[in-house]
């Protein structure tokens, strides 16, 4: 048990409303913003100290990235028993840029990338903007990988000898599912049967609850690639940086990737994330305990205030994926914002499987969660009368 205070209870609503980030400035002050993936926490002390020291030195040039890589490989070894060779890791601008550039290296314009929907909205938008096409393999009704759907999607995507890829979200956003080693092996086998490259977005990997175990994708599929970042776990999304990890049998990918021109991590991002990985364990453990309390609170609040709404406690991440069915229409977030004054992410933004759903961010105080669900509950009851 950590002695670190729960980071989710350290800031008041007034403290949070003083912030200038998009979470707190997009909507009017009477709206409770539980949408974008920002956490309502103070910075971990080691991160704060590292950034102060960076400013004191005037150390705001371009990053070399070696310390960032070393800090991550040390964290991966201690947290997951994952031995990551430093030569297989490349700092990149952020996770989105990392997976987009990876597929641009692996595929040709017009090729398909298969996603397991419903899934994080930029999986669609960034790949399409890069000239790739997106095909869906919907998850099962209980939000697990559907290997039959994946096989069918890849068969179509790879017709006439076209290249194809699979972009995983592991742990899965928005459902909170954590894929098992067996499920990952199944995905790898199906992808291999179609000659498809697999890239795994693992940005939420440190946010796995104590009753589950994270399995890095490249430990199951040595031909795969993965993206990691400390940004979600230590609340650093504004300090850009991520790491692209190649599997042991990824062939000449790194040589081909390095032959192109790619944006790297920022100096502030690399310094902050290195401090988080190396010295942020107490904050991390306290956060996981606080999030565990919040997901259990959410289950109680849904049972009490949201009859007819489905919620399965996440195995990972800090998201609550709420199924409203036909109670509030295709996009429940619209009436919830307009009438309950709570901002959630719209389910349809996550693709097939998202209709009738909304995503709620649990990385805030229990008081804010309680108030938000109480407001939504009044709306649901009013709609049923």
């Amino acid at each position: 048990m950590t002695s670190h205070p729960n980071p989710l209870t350290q800031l008041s609503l007034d403290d949070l409303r003083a912030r200038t980030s998009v979470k707190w400035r997009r909507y009017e002050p009477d709206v409770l913003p539980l949408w974008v993936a920002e956490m309502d926490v103070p910075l971990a002390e080691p991160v704060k100290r590292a950034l102060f020291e960076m400013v004191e030195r005037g150390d705001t040039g371009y990053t070399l990235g070696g310390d960032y890589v070393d800090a991550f490989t040390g964290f991966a070894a201690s947290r997951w028993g994952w031995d990551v060779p430093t030569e297989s890791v490349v700092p990149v601008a952020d996770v989105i840029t990392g997976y987009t550039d990876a597929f641009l290296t692996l595929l040709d314009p017009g090729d398909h990338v298969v996603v397991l929907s419903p899934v994080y909205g930029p999986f669609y938008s960034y790949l399409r903007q890069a000239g790739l096409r997106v095909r869906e393999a919907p998850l099962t009704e209980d939000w697990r990988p559907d290997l039959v759907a994946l096989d069918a999607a890849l068969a179509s995507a790879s017709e006439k000898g076209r290249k194809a890829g699979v972009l995983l979200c592991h742990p899965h956003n928005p459902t909170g599912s954590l894929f098992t080693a067996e499920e990952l092996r199944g995905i790898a086998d199906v992808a291999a049967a179609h000659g498809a490259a697999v890239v795994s977005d693992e940005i939420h990997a440190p946010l796995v609850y104590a009753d589950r175990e994270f399995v890095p994708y490249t430990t199951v599929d040595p031909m795969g690639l993965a993206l990691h970042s400390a940004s979600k776990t230590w609340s650093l999304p504004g300090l850009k940086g991520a790491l692209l990890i190649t599997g042991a049998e990824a062939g000449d990918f790194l040589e081909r990737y390095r032959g192109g021109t790619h944006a790297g991590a920022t100096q502030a991002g690399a310094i902050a994330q290195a401090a988080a990985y190396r010295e942020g364990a107490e904050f991390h453990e306290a956060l996981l305990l606080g999030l565990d309390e919040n997901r259990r609170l959410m289950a109680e609040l849904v049972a009490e205030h949201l009859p007819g709404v489905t919620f399965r406690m996440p195995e990972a991440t800090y998201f609550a994926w709420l199924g409203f069915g036909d109670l509030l229409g295709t996009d429940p977030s619209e009436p919830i914002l307009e009438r309950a004054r709570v901002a959630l992410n719209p389910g349809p933004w996550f693709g097939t499987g998202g209709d009738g759903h909304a995503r709620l961010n649990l990385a805030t105080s229990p008081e804010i969660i309680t108030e938000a669900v109480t407001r939504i509950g009044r709306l649901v009851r009013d709609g049923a009368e």
Side-chain angles (χ1 to χ4, degrees):
M1 184 71 68
T2 181
S3 60
H4 192 289
N6 181 355
L8 299 165
T9 61
Q10 300 305 298
L11 300 174
S12 70
L13 193 53
D14 287 341
D15 293 331
L16 295 167
R17 292 204 183 281
R19 291 183 166 182
T20 62
S21 65
V22 64
K23 179 177 183 179
W24 290 96
R25 292 300 173 96
R26 172 161 292 183
Y27 299 105
E28 296 298 317
D30 65 320
V31 172
L32 292 177
L34 298 181
W35 59 296
V36 69
E38 295 181 25
M39 295 198 297
D40 296 343
V41 296
L43 277 181
E45 285 301 322
V47 173
K48 187 187 299 186
R49 183 169 60 252
L51 291 171
F52 281 151
E53 291 173 355
M54 180 196 77
V55 172
E56 286 292 329
R57 293 191 303 268
D59 193 8
T60 53
Y62 297 107
T63 187
L64 190 60
D67 189 54
Y68 180 23
V69 171
D70 289 344
F72 169 75
T73 59
F75 177 84
S78 63
R79 188 76 190 179
W80 303 308
W82 181 20
D83 182 16
V84 184
T86 57
E87 61 271 18
S88 71
V89 185
V90 180
V92 296
D94 54 35
V95 167
I96 292 174
T97 301
Y99 66 64
T100 302
D101 282 357
F103 281 118
L104 288 175
T105 302
L106 293 163
L107 305 179
D108 296 323
D111 285 340
H112 285 90
V113 177
V114 177
V115 301
L116 278 58
S117 65
V119 74
Y120 181 52
F123 274 28
Y124 300 90
S125 57
Y126 279 79
L127 292 175
R128 287 169 176 160
Q129 189 174 15
L132 299 167
R133 292 187 285 179
V134 179
R135 186 177 293 272
E136 296 176 316
L139 297 171
T140 65
E141 290 185 0
D142 58 349
W143 312 124
R144 310 309 304 181
D146 185 333
L147 298 183
V148 173
L150 178 62
D151 183 66
L154 282 172
S156 178
S158 58
E159 284 180 345
K160 300 179 180 178
R162 290 190 309 234
K163 298 177 185 177
V166 178
L167 179 54
L168 297 182
C169 194
H170 166 59
H172 192 266
N173 173 11
T175 67
S177 294
L178 181 68
F179 301 153
T180 65
E182 182 180 2
E183 288 171 328
L184 294 174
R185 288 190 195 98
I187 291 168
D189 289 345
V190 172
H194 296 280
V198 181
V199 179
S200 182
D201 173 353
E202 300 180 352
I203 195 170
H204 293 101
L207 294 168
V208 172
Y209 296 101
D211 55 349
R212 294 292 185 270
E213 180 181 358
F214 170 72
V215 178
Y217 180 75
T218 60
T219 65
V220 170
D221 177 8
M223 294 186 292
L225 308 174
L227 278 303
H228 279 258
S229 176
S231 64
K232 298 305 180 193
T233 304
W234 284 273
S235 196
L236 304 169
L239 301 178
K240 291 293 187 178
L243 298 165
L244 175 61
I245 296 98
T246 61
E249 298 175 16
D252 65 348
F253 170 82
L254 270 184
E255 181 180 348
R256 294 166 58 200
Y257 179 87
R258 286 175 169 144
T261 302
H262 307 285
T266 62
Q267 175 78 324
I271 287 173
Q273 292 197 33
Y277 281 132
R278 192 170 279 130
E279 303 176 67
E282 288 190 4
F283 176 95
H284 182 202
E285 293 306 316
L287 174 68
L288 286 175
L289 291 174
L291 289 173
D292 183 46
E293 293 173 2
N294 281 1
R295 67 173 181 156
R296 296 178 190 279
L297 170 65
M298 189 69 192
E300 295 172 2
L301 292 170
V302 168
E304 179 180 356
H305 295 281
L306 300 178
V309 174
T310 60
F311 167 67
R312 187 197 61 167
M313 282 202 300
E315 299 168 319
T317 79
Y318 46 69
F319 302 127
W321 184 234
L322 301 173
F324 290 85
D326 298 326
L327 292 172
L328 298 175
T330 300
D331 180 6
S333 72
E334 289 187 355
I336 289 172
L337 176 60
E338 293 171 6
R339 296 165 57 191
R341 308 305 285 165
V342 177
L344 307 180
N345 289 97
W349 183 68
F350 298 92
T352 297
D355 286 1
H357 289 77
R359 191 191 75 177
L360 182 149
N361 182 344
L362 291 169
T364 189
S365 70
E367 292 77 17
I368 290 176
I369 293 172
T370 300
E371 173 62 20
V373 176
T374 301
R375 290 186 190 186
I376 298 169
R378 287 196 291 266
L379 172 62
V380 169
R381 287 194 298 273
D382 290 346
E385 292 176 355

